[in-house]
Amino acid sequence: MTVAAGIGYALIALGPSLSLFVAVISKKPFLILTVLSSTLLWLISLIVLSGIWRAFLPLKSTTWWPFALLIISSVGFQEGLRVLFWKVYKRLEDTLDAFADRVGKPRLFLTDKMQIALAGGLGHGVAHAVFFCLSLLTPAFGPATFYVDRCPQMPFFLISAIIALAFVTIHTFSMVIAFNGYAEGNTTDQYFVPVVHLVAGMVVKSAFARCFCLLSQKFSLLRILFLIVLKNCQLSPETALVVFVWLNVLCHACSF
Amino acid sequence: MAQNQRPASILDTLGEEIVRIITPVSICMLMVVILVSILSLDDSSSSSAMPTIATIAYSETGSDSSWDKFMGALLNSLVFVAVVTAVTFILVLLFYLRCTKFLKIYLGFSAFVVLKFSFPIDCVTFLVILYNFAVVGVLAVFISKMAILVTQAYLVVIGMLVAYWFTLLPEWTTWVLLVAMALYDLAAVLLPVGPLRLLVELAISRDEDIPALVYEARPVAHHDSGSRDGVVRRRVWSERRNVLHDSGGDVNSNAILSGNAGSNLNSGVVLSVASGHNDTRLAGAEEGRVVEANAELSAPLIDRRMNDNMHRQEEDDTSENLLLEGIGLGSTGAIKLGLGDFIFYSVLVGRAAMYDFMTVYACYLAIVAGLGVTLMLLAFYQKALPALPVSIMLGVLFYLLTRLLLEVFVVQCSMNLVMF
């Protein structure tokens, strides 16, 4: 709609990840590299998926099952990628520990490992936000806006920004939960992540309900996810409080 | 918080050099993207390019067929690369004949031209400001005693301006030119007859600096270096020829492009690691000591400080050797990246920006990945490596993939609110 609105949409999608980046990640160069490489990995997975699905596009929007198939295949592929990421991370951890021994420094602490997982998840989330929201935002800087048939109550950019925000959070914390689950062999956690991912994708798609219902469902899911994350890892109290309060505000705003 | 009492783990400082190179590259690319998106007109009409060296063979118009455009672009790039090769050989010759003064003067002149004439605004005060800016820039480039931040900033600005000039070329020409330059770089640095390799070897054998526009990342200072904020660690190649003392050779070349003239080009893009020669505050210290590699491959040697006592240099075993396979970061010492690399990366990203922002992100990630791969190869092979080929090839590949495959997919998915 205007430059201000465009910047606003961009900040909705990427605001929390930016603050997370500045507060946690920018202090340790290794985490910056982790973010970049996981973003790249996610992009590659997206390109592979688009290569596979290119022949079938554009999909007819009347039937729902092609979309379901699309979501299931994409989520499955990305979850497989997460397992691969975990395996690479294990090797990296061994290398890092050996290096630490040689240099005479302590091995990786638990918080270090969680920070690496957080950085990896943040990379995925930022990639999602960038490619699904920011790159489509160019028209939003102009004088008009755009609506989609599925949800005529809000401009399309706002929808994609809010959904991108939700997915950033999901991706970021899923990685932490998943790595924790893999490390401890906790199968509940291990299966929780792909299920949440799938459900989130489906919930977005099943736009039978009104837009607002949809969004509030999404955010309740987020709240559950967040509580589980809080149980598992120990964020600093300030970060946890800020994110939680802010999530609550959004939930209430969306479900009036 | 609890973290304050823990000893610093390796995660705090690992990878710092790579980030210190990636940051200015990213800044340069970002500025070029901003410039391009603000100043871009519709590109089909603005292909009324000024006759430059790069379009001398063929001027692209919008109405030619794809094949014609491609052949024309190929012709242009061949001419360009030929000119670059010729000029690089001249540079090698001059260096061989020790005409370094001439080279320095020429460098200063081209920097001055780039900084001065790129803003076509005619206002007296502006001219005065610009003149000052350009002079300081030339001094910064020339004299290495300036605050390193100023030098770095000026180098990034020069790179940005030249890259913006390049993006004004017609589209096909730009892409084919990028690929041609990447191939040229590969040949010039790795082939034994390549001009850049000759230059590098001359510089090493004479133990001199090549006069060139090179971006040097700030050397990593150890955390507990307290009083000293210069180079604390050094890295020495323990190759067989470094027997007694060797500052590791400064191997750096560059690409200087004088913007408007467009007619002379010194090119060569080499990525290398050098020992920190610039900070000569370590007065009493030797340039570096070498211990023959024990049983392991040629591994970099690191002089590091102990955490408790402030020793300056130590004979160290090859403790960082492990990094070569795992991370490939090696140790410290300044990483130098030629300005031509900045320029061509930014040209690629700027060109991608002329299409859409999705391609910008994809190309940015590809270039950074290529740079990371190159740095790792550098730590592994320990000699001058071309920094262009991997990044440019990855960048072009990702651009094509994004433009052809990804964009349709993502737009379709978003329109139907299918997001994952």
Side-chain angles (χ1 to χ4, degrees), chain B residues 12-32:
Chain B
D12 288 337
T13 51
L14 208 53
E16 196 160 355
E17 295 148 4
I18 297 190
V19 171
R20 280 198 178 162
I21 274 283
I22 290 184
T23 313
V25 172
S26 312
I27 293 177
C28 189
M29 287 200 255
L30 179 71
M31 296 210 288
V32 170

Side-chain angles (χ1 to χ4, degrees), chain A residues 27-30 32-33 36 39-40 42-44 46-47 49-51 53-54 57-59 61 67 70-71 74-75 78 95-96 98-100 102-103 105-106 108-109 111-112 116 128 130-132 134-136 138 146 148 150 156 159-160 163 167 171 197 201 204-205, chain B residues 1 3 6-19 22 222-223 233 296 304 307 318-323 325-327 329 356-359 361-366 368-369 398 401-402 404-406 408-420:
Chain A
K27 299 192 165 38
K28 306 196 173 180
F30 188 75
I32 300 181
L33 296 175
L36 284 174
T39 313
L40 182 73
W42 203 88
L43 169 66
I44 293 177
L46 202 62
I47 290 182
L49 277 172
S50 64
W53 277 95
R54 177 76 177 91
L57 295 171
L59 293 169
S61 52
F67 294 113
L70 183 64
I71 295 179
S74 313
V75 171
Q78 285 182 351
T95 315
L96 283 177
F99 171 59
R102 286 223 192 184
V103 178
K105 291 225 175 140
L108 289 178
F109 301 114
T111 44
D112 288 336
I116 296 181
H128 174 99
V130 159
F131 284 99
F132 274 99
L134 281 196
S135 50
L136 304 172
T138 325
F146 189 69
V148 235
R150 296 207 166 270
F156 164 68
I159 301 177
S160 74
I163 294 184
F167 266 106
H171 278 302
H197 198 176
V204 178
K205 181 63 200 84
Chain B
M1 290 203 285
Q3 280 100 326
R6 277 208 202 104
S9 84
I10 51 170
L11 218 57
D12 288 337
T13 51
L14 208 53
E16 196 160 355
E17 295 148 4
I18 297 190
V19 171
I22 290 184
H222 203 76
H223 275 311
R233 308 180 184 182
E296 271 143 339
R304 65 174 174 173
N307 288 346
T318 59
S319 64
E320 310 283 297
N321 187 25
L322 189 60
L323 287 177
E325 340 123 40
I327 309 165
L329 296 177
D356 190 24
F357 276 117
M358 199 182 294
T359 43
Y361 301 126
C363 290
Y364 169 74
L365 287 172
V368 169
F398 270 66
L401 284 177
T402 308
L404 299 174
L405 294 179
L406 188 64
V408 176
F409 183 68
V410 168
V411 168
Q412 276 289 304
C413 283
S414 303
M415 290 301 148
N416 293 302
L417 295 186
V418 170
M419 300 194 191
F420 43 85

Side-chain angles (χ1 to χ4, degrees), chain B residues 100-111 142:
Chain B
T100 35
K101 263 237 169 91
F102 174 75
L103 287 171
K104 282 200 191 278
I105 295 176
Y106 173 71
L107 255 190
F109 171 70
S110 49
F142 239 115

Side-chain angles (χ1 to χ4, degrees), chain B residues 309-388:
Chain B
N309 39 7
M310 310 278 270
H311 282 193
R312 204 81 96 57
Q313 284 183 351
E314 316 238 339
E315 315 260 3
D316 268 315
D317 56 337
T318 59
S319 64
E320 310 283 297
N321 187 25
L322 189 60
L323 287 177
L324 290 176
E325 340 123 40
I327 309 165
L329 296 177
S331 61
T332 59
I335 294 188
K336 297 190 181 189
L337 190 61
L339 204 62
D341 297 327
F342 276 80
I343 292 172
F344 285 112
Y345 294 161
S346 310
V347 168
L348 197 149
V349 174
R351 242 314 147 183
M354 286 184 172
Y355 181 70
D356 190 24
F357 276 117
M358 199 182 294
T359 43
V360 169
Y361 301 126
C363 290
Y364 169 74
L365 287 172
I367 289 181
V368 169
L371 193 59
V373 166
T374 313
L375 285 172
M376 280 199 255
L377 286 179
L378 181 74
F380 189 67
Y381 282 111
Q382 296 182 9
K383 57 180 207 168
L385 285 181
L388 274 190

